[in-house]
């Protein structure tokens, strides 16, 4: 399970609900390019906030669950 990252600002302990594509790639230990490929293929859900692309933290959990389920079923 992917844990929610904290906002990182002094005095702000609230978890982030959306993270950057780069941060999501880092959490999954994959490249930024591979992360964009997963988004384009519909494997990982993303949202647009204005001109920015963000990944809901729950989308990473769902992706990991699917990977584990698929690999355990094989």
């Amino acid at each position: 399970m992917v844990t929610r990252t904290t906002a990182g600002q002094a005095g702000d302990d609230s978890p982030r609900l959306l993270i950057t594509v780069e941060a999501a790639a880092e959490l999954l230990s994959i490249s930024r390019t591979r992360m964009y490929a997963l988004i384009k293929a519909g494997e990982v859900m993303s949202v647009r906030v204005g001109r920015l692309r963000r990944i809901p933290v729950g989308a990473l959990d769902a992706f990991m669950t699917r990977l584990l389920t698929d690999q355990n079923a094989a």
Side-chain angles (χ1 to χ4, degrees):
M1 173 187 239
V2 177
T3 59
R4 292 185 178 178
T5 58
T6 58
Q9 296 177 359
D12 186 6
D13 291 335
S14 60
R16 288 189 181 190
L17 300 176
L18 299 173
I19 58 174
T20 65
V21 173
E22 291 79 6
E26 186 175 328
L27 285 171
L28 294 177
S29 299
I30 61 174
S31 71
R32 175 182 173 269
T33 302
R34 178 69 179 137
M35 189 74 224
Y36 275 108
L38 290 171
I39 293 167
K40 185 175 182 180
E43 295 287 326
V44 176
M45 186 184 74
S46 69
V47 296
R48 302 255 326 159
V49 180
R51 294 179 58 187
L52 306 173
R53 172 82 47 201
R54 294 293 182 257
I55 310 293
V57 175
L60 295 181
D61 288 331
F63 175 69
M64 288 299 303
T65 299
R66 277 195 316 277
L67 281 179
L68 293 170
T69 301
D70 291 348
Q71 289 183 10
N72 288 333

